[in-house]
Amino acid sequence: MTETKEMIHIRNAEPNEMAAILDLTLTAYDEFATTMPVVNWRGLSQTIKKTLREPGDAEVIVAVLKGELAGSVLLFPPESNAYGDLVEQASWPQLRLLAVNPDMRGKGIGTMLMEECIQRARQAGATALGLHTGDSMIVALPMYERRGFVRVPALDFDVEGGELVKAYRLDLTSN
């Protein structure tokens, strides 16, 4: 895996890559179409499309392996409307829509993208980094928890007819 990690390049996305990032994200999240209730998947896929078509003030970060788009993530600044009206604005940056090409999983790409968000948040002076996820995200949840993200139930939100969207926060002052 070390050899592969050395070949992965993390950088800001180019504007002309947004369609490919949308395709990659939908492909990466497609497994949830069969594990989530239909209403949840429909809502999640619509949210992915809307967010990636209009990322607003988010940094769009990509991982490239051997010239091919391998993964992506959005990093929203503090006080941004990362989730629209669904949740109160957090005073810390928010990591969203972490996605890895299914054919490239197991190479540490998701961890590298997450670490890039942590580094950028720290460089910006943030004391914490937040994210939201659900119980369906069985691979992502342990990765977040291993890294030190802890639950913040006060910032959870419900999607009508769907799964509880759980808030997590990483304290950047002690890591």
Side-chain angles (χ1 to χ4, degrees), residues 96-174:
R96 280 204 65 200
L97 297 178
L98 177 64
V100 176
N101 179 327
D103 295 334
M104 297 182 184
R105 288 183 179 157
K107 300 179 186 310
I109 294 165
T111 299
M112 290 178 72
L113 286 166
M114 185 175 57
E115 290 298 326
E116 181 71 15
C117 289
I118 292 167
Q119 179 183 351
R120 289 182 186 207
R122 277 196 173 118
Q123 287 174 344
T127 59
L129 176 65
L131 62 85
H132 284 77
T133 191
D135 289 336
S136 296
M137 309 293 178
I138 58 174
V139 173
L141 278 168
M143 178 177 68
Y144 301 143
E145 290 171 347
R146 276 193 309 272
R147 186 57 186 85
F149 282 86
V150 295
R151 290 274 290 116
V152 185
L155 295 177
D156 291 354
F157 62 90
D158 284 307
V159 178
E160 188 175 332
E163 163 180 293
L164 178 66
V165 181
K166 296 178 177 179
Y168 284 78
R169 180 182 179 273
L170 176 67
D171 180 357
L172 297 179
T173 63
S174 63

Side-chain angles (χ1 to χ4, degrees), residues 32-33 36-46 159-163:
F32 303 116
M36 286 181 167
V38 173
V39 68
N40 288 33
W41 171 245
R42 193 174 303 129
L44 177 58
S45 63
Q46 289 171 354
V159 178
E160 188 175 332
E163 163 180 293

Side-chain angles (χ1 to χ4, degrees), residues 16-29:
N16 65 344
E17 293 176 308
M18 292 308 293
I21 292 166
L22 174 58
D23 289 344
L24 177 143
T25 305
L26 288 171
T27 299
Y29 281 67

Side-chain angles (χ1 to χ4, degrees), residues 24-100:
L24 177 143
T25 305
L26 288 171
T27 299
Y29 281 67
D30 192 50
E31 67 190 78
F32 303 116
T34 57
T35 61
M36 286 181 167
V38 173
V39 68
N40 288 33
W41 171 245
R42 193 174 303 129
L44 177 58
S45 63
Q46 289 171 354
T47 297
I48 290 169
K49 291 173 190 173
K50 181 181 184 323
T51 303
L52 287 172
R53 287 182 181 138
E54 301 171 22
D57 55 359
E59 293 180 63
V60 183
I61 304 165
V62 296
V64 179
L65 175 61
K66 297 180 182 179
E68 188 176 345
L69 192 61
S72 65
V73 66
L74 299 180
L75 180 61
F76 285 83
E79 308 296 340
S80 68
N81 234 352
Y83 295 93
D85 295 333
L86 295 173
V87 67
E88 181 181 325
Q89 294 177 4
S91 60
W92 51 76
Q94 295 285 315
L95 179 156
R96 280 204 65 200
L97 297 178
L98 177 64
V100 176

